[in-house]
Amino acid sequence: MLEVENVVTRYGVIEALKGVSIRVERGEIVAIIGANGAGKSTLLMTICGQPRAASGRIRFEGREITDLPTYDIVRLGIVQAPEGRRIFPRMTVYENLLMGAVPTGGRYLEEDLERVFALFPRLKERLHQRGGTLSGGEQQMLCIGRALMARPKLLLLDEPSLGIAPILVRQIFEAIVAINRERGLSILLVEQNAYQALKIAHRGYVLASGRVVREGTGRQLLADPEVRAAYLEGGQ
Amino acid sequence: MNTAIRAPALADRVKDAALAAFVAFALLAPILGMETVVGPDGRLTLAFHFDLVALGVAIVFIGRLLFGGLVAGRLAVRREGGPISRFLSRYSTVLGAAGLAFAVALPFLPFSSRYVIDVATTVVIYVMLGWGLNIVVGLAGLLDLGYVAFYAVGAYSYALFAQWFGLGFWTCLPIAGLLAAIAGILLGFPVLRLRGDYLAIVTLGFGEIIRLVLINWHEVTGGPNGIADIPRPSFFGFPFTRNPGEGEIAFHQLFGLEFSTMHRVIFLYYLALGLALITNLFVLRIRKLPIGRAWEALREDEIACKALGINPTNTKLTAFALGAMFGGFAGSFFATRQGFISPESFTFIESAIILAIVVLGGMGSQIGVVLAAAVIVLLPEIARELETYRMLFFGAAMVLIMIWRPRGLLAHREPTIRLARRGGAA
Ligand SMILES: Nc1ncnc2c1ncn2[C@@H]1O[C@H](COP(=O)(O)OP(=O)(O)OP(=O)(O)O)[C@@H](O)[C@H]1O
Ligand SMILES: [Mg+2]
């Protein structure tokens, strides 16, 4: 459903992506792992058109989206829960979730809210608390919940486990799997926590210095000695 | 965050105070330190007052050393509104109703002289301008230093349409709003890509351009002489005159009253109040709509907004246009109230005052704007006796208020919407 072909992205003179090709099929969880600065976030942001690819092509459901403005890409069904969560700190949990419903025009509000609450009951308890006063884990739930309110076809998650206690990390990964199973939602997941990510992913890519250096099923990558040495030793 | 609250170390404070002293020196040396006096031979010479400069610099240094840390500490602490803000915004409906009742009753209260009603009208107009600009600055977070341009567009549209086509106030009002909104879009379209300080500078420039156009486009605007004899408002067609023209009925005749110049003053007051209330209702309503939330979200995080499918340019443009529209309404009112307008009325200081009202009010708080407008209009009135020192007093008061409440008088933000509780959850 998503095909990224030979995408190059630059920040000024820095080439953050040097010809990356990946694809995500309908209903898949695809993980992208790699060291800090490998270009993982840049890849997700480029898919959303922010920044734009300097060359290469990005297609979604057969349609070229490389040059579409971000808000149109979102309306086609690619929604990102960005790195650093970027929730609206002064707005309440409820207001944040409503912001997520912008692309649907609020048509399925009740239903979608219930689904988010079923996934993250914690959010329902904190409905009228300010986003900025939530704990890191709760903010992450809100970030994912907000993205789900947009009814995405493809959900991009950038480091959902960053800075979160292990027990919450498990909850969040379980939620990711649940979203994928129950709704058949395709997910492109960027993670430092390579072990957890590869365990739930159907397929994965390893990114290093702006290039894809390995790809395979989650299990293959988990077993790959070089991947183990670089990203998994001492991990887990 | 705890580290931010701690007062800075002594060495830093000395350095900071020294810097302040240096700035003071640079300012004071020419202002206080040099005086042109007529010398013995009748020529102008410079006299130097090093003692005054030294005294000033010393005061600044010591004052900054003693109180600078205090200010910095308070600035760091005050992030959200304190208990006062929370109280005020929690009971904002009650306070709003009480304030409204007071405003409606004002002209009939015993102390209401013509002067009181005139000042009150000015307060109300600044409240309205504050609410209008609040859409742009407080809600959408776009720093607009040229708001007075839209006020001017509104005032001149009314004046010109009334003069050339003989249109009445109520016909001109929507036209003025529309033209101001169009001006807002014309300005907004090219510049809304800019952020923060750049936007501020461009809007500042726009305000000046409009003023210069008004000064130089003699044929239409009358240049620096402005436009006089702008039709005064009538009570829906019934003029406020002692001796109405042929076939006309004056306001006092209509109601069988004794003629009084107060009628018009009071009518203008209610007109301003009505316009301000419309602005307020509009803003309260739109804050609860998706577009209003999008403005607030945009102010918090533009990238997140894009990632949620919001078109930032269009969203900002609506804020700009709507803010401008209310500026235009207020401008029409200004023109009909004064009966005379000239570019002098639309200088940068007006923009600065309106912006000060929004910032002082707490950026986005409706009641805050009312308080701030009252403070800003009334302070100079109260300080009238101080004469020369009036602006000094005004400036000092503003500085003190911002130290006391760095996030504005009312910094607490109430949620725009709550989920109807079912089954007592949360
Ligand atoms: N806005 C920017 N301007 C300039 N350079 C940038 C910008 N954003 C990222 N970079 C650079 O691009 C490269 C890739 O960054 P990116 O954020 O994609 O890495 P990442 O794989 O997500 O790393 P991490 O795991 O630390 O989040 C880095 O070298 C980074 O310094
Ligand atoms: Mg990253």
Side-chain angles (χ1 to χ4, degrees), chain B residues 181-257:
Chain B
I182 290 173
I185 291 174
L186 288 183
L187 163 69
F189 200 70
V191 307
L192 282 177
R193 289 162 209 290
L194 303 175
R195 315 181 61 120
D197 11 10
Y198 300 104
L199 180 67
I201 291 169
V202 175
T203 51
L204 179 72
F206 185 73
E208 282 303 289
I209 289 172
I210 291 274
R211 199 172 63 84
L212 291 175
V213 167
L214 294 178
I215 291 180
N216 291 303
W217 198 9
H218 282 277
E219 304 76 39
V220 176
T221 65
N225 299 330
I227 301 177
D229 297 325
I230 300 170
R232 308 310 303 270
S234 62
F235 184 78
F236 306 99
F238 303 98
F240 291 94
T241 43
R242 185 186 294 275
N243 303 310
E246 202 60 33
E248 273 187 330
I249 303 174
F251 174 80
H252 64 284
Q253 293 169 327
L254 181 70
F255 288 94
L257 299 170

Side-chain angles (χ1 to χ4, degrees), chain A residues 75 86 88-90 95 130, chain B residues 300-301 309 413 416 419:
Chain A
R75 275 157 209 271
R86 289 185 175 270
F88 304 113
R90 269 166 67 93
E95 289 172 313
R130 253 167 244 287
Chain B
E300 302 216 332
D301 194 327
R413 177 187 175 279
T416 58
L419 192 63

Side-chain angles (χ1 to χ4, degrees), chain B residues 8 25 41 52 57 105 114 133 183 239 248 341 354 367:
Chain B
F25 175 76
D41 52 353
L52 277 180
V57 170
R114 183 188 171 123
L133 183 62
E248 273 187 330
I341 53 173
I354 303 165
I367 289 205

Side-chain angles (χ1 to χ4, degrees), chain A:
Chain A
M1 95 190 300
L2 177 79
E3 290 135 52
V4 175
E5 266 173 40
N6 263 317
V7 161
V8 174
T9 302
R10 298 196 184 94
Y11 295 110
V13 290
I14 305 172
E15 213 168 69
L17 298 182
K18 300 167 183 156
V20 170
S21 303
I22 65 162
R23 75 202 149 73
V24 180
E25 299 299 339
R26 194 174 300 276
E28 266 189 327
I29 298 182
V30 174
I32 295 181
I33 61 171
N36 292 113
K40 307 182 294 294
S41 302
T42 304
L43 176 57
L44 290 198
M45 293 305 280
T46 308
I47 292 171
C48 294
Q50 173 94 35
R52 247 165 233 307
S55 67
R57 298 211 303 172
I58 305 172
R59 267 197 309 262
F60 182 63
E61 296 190 310
R63 180 172 170 184
E64 170 121 20
I65 60 166
T66 326
D67 292 317
L68 287 186
T70 304
Y71 46 86
D72 281 341
I73 296 177
V74 174
R75 275 157 209 271
L76 288 177
I78 303 184
V79 181
Q80 178 166 181
E83 184 168 33
R85 303 170 194 133
R86 289 185 175 270
I87 55 158
F88 304 113
R90 269 166 67 93
M91 300 173 91
T92 62
V93 169
Y94 186 39
E95 289 172 313
N96 267 278
L97 291 174
L98 287 181
M99 287 306 302
V102 167
T104 68
R107 268 188 300 277
Y108 318 98
L109 204 60
E110 297 275 313
E111 188 187 339
D112 289 352
L113 277 174
E114 283 313 317
R115 294 215 287 196
V116 170
F117 295 150
L119 207 56
F120 302 117
R122 194 81 77 92
L123 292 182
K124 189 169 188 179
E125 290 161 24
R126 318 238 168 232
L127 204 53
H128 297 300
Q129 190 172 329
R130 253 167 244 287
T133 61
L134 294 176
S135 79
E138 290 161 352
Q139 290 192 5
Q140 188 59 56
M141 294 175 189
L142 179 55
C143 177
I144 297 175
R146 186 178 67 180
L148 288 174
M149 291 299 289
R151 299 216 151 189
K153 296 175 186 160
L154 171 65
L155 178 63
L156 312 183
L157 296 173
D158 198 340
E159 306 214 23
S161 75
L162 190 71
I164 295 177
I167 177 150
L168 271 184
V169 171
R170 225 183 34 239
Q171 260 183 41
I172 285 179
F173 274 93
E174 275 164 13
I176 294 171
V177 173
I179 302 165
N180 172 255
R181 289 238 176 90
E182 285 160 24
R183 309 191 201 174
L185 181 60
S186 318
I187 294 174
L188 182 56
L189 169 70
V190 159
E191 259 301 335
Q192 291 277 332
N193 198 329
Y195 177 74
Q196 292 272 11
L198 290 175
K199 225 171 59 173
I200 65 167
H202 300 104
R203 292 187 303 110
Y205 295 86
V206 179
L207 214 57
S209 312
R211 289 205 168 80
V212 173
V213 293
R214 276 275 192 295
E215 63 174 286
T217 63
R219 202 165 301 170
Q220 280 168 351
L221 290 177
L222 270 177
D224 187 309
E226 278 186 49
V227 173
R228 292 190 71 90
Y231 305 106
L232 293 172
E233 297 299 280
Q236 309 204 4

Side-chain angles (χ1 to χ4, degrees), chain B residues 69-358:
Chain B
L70 188 76
V71 175
R74 289 192 73 104
L75 282 175
V77 178
R78 294 271 174 174
R79 302 205 56 211
E80 266 298 320
I84 304 178
S85 297
R86 214 164 315 138
F87 171 83
L88 286 176
S89 42
R90 179 119 335 135
Y91 296 100
S92 60
T93 14
V94 182
L95 285 169
L100 179 61
F102 175 73
V104 170
L106 181 78
F108 304 104
L109 297 179
F111 57 84
S112 289
S113 60
R114 183 188 171 123
Y115 169 73
V116 168
I117 297 176
D118 261 335
V119 172
T121 309
T122 309
V123 171
V124 171
I125 274 307
Y126 276 106
V127 168
M128 175 175 178
L129 286 166
W131 280 338
L133 183 62
N134 207 7
I135 297 176
V136 183
V137 180
L139 296 182
L142 304 166
L143 189 50
D144 180 355
L145 292 182
Y147 193 60
V148 75
F150 308 124
Y151 193 41
V153 168
Y156 273 85
S157 344
Y158 170 59
L160 293 173
F161 275 94
Q163 224 173 33
W164 288 3
F165 305 110
L167 298 182
F169 178 76
W170 295 106
T171 324
C172 287
L173 192 67
I175 299 178
L178 188 70
L179 288 177
I182 290 173
I185 291 174
L186 288 183
L187 163 69
F189 200 70
V191 307
L192 282 177
R193 289 162 209 290
L194 303 175
R195 315 181 61 120
D197 11 10
Y198 300 104
L199 180 67
I201 291 169
V202 175
T203 51
L204 179 72
F206 185 73
E208 282 303 289
I209 289 172
I210 291 274
R211 199 172 63 84
L212 291 175
V213 167
L214 294 178
I215 291 180
N216 291 303
W217 198 9
H218 282 277
E219 304 76 39
V220 176
T221 65
N225 299 330
I227 301 177
D229 297 325
I230 300 170
R232 308 310 303 270
S234 62
F235 184 78
F236 306 99
F238 303 98
F240 291 94
T241 43
R242 185 186 294 275
N243 303 310
E246 202 60 33
E248 273 187 330
I249 303 174
F251 174 80
H252 64 284
Q253 293 169 327
L254 181 70
F255 288 94
L257 299 170
E258 197 56 31
F259 175 78
S260 158
T261 49
M262 283 298 280
H263 291 160
R264 178 193 286 160
V265 175
I266 294 176
F267 175 70
L268 279 172
Y269 172 75
Y270 279 125
L271 184 56
L273 194 60
L275 289 173
L277 284 179
I278 291 171
T279 314
N280 185 37
L281 290 179
F282 181 87
V283 175
L284 287 182
R285 181 86 195 98
I286 205 162
R287 259 196 74 190
K288 294 190 164 66
L289 297 180
I291 179 74
R293 262 196 305 277
W295 290 337
E296 291 194 68
L298 209 55
R299 177 177 96 173
E300 302 216 332
D301 194 327
E302 187 164 337
I303 295 198
C305 279
K306 282 189 190 167
L308 293 172
I310 290 166
N311 178 341
T313 316
N314 287 357
T315 308
K316 289 180 187 174
L317 218 47
T318 26
F320 232 67
L322 289 172
M325 181 179 80
F326 288 110
F329 290 157
S332 292
F333 175 84
F334 177 78
T336 191
R337 180 189 186 199
Q338 302 301 105
F340 165 75
I341 53 173
S342 78
E344 283 301 294
S345 314
F346 307 103
T347 52
F348 170 68
I349 188 73
E350 286 297 315
S351 293
I353 288 177
I354 303 165
L355 185 65
I357 287 173
V358 173

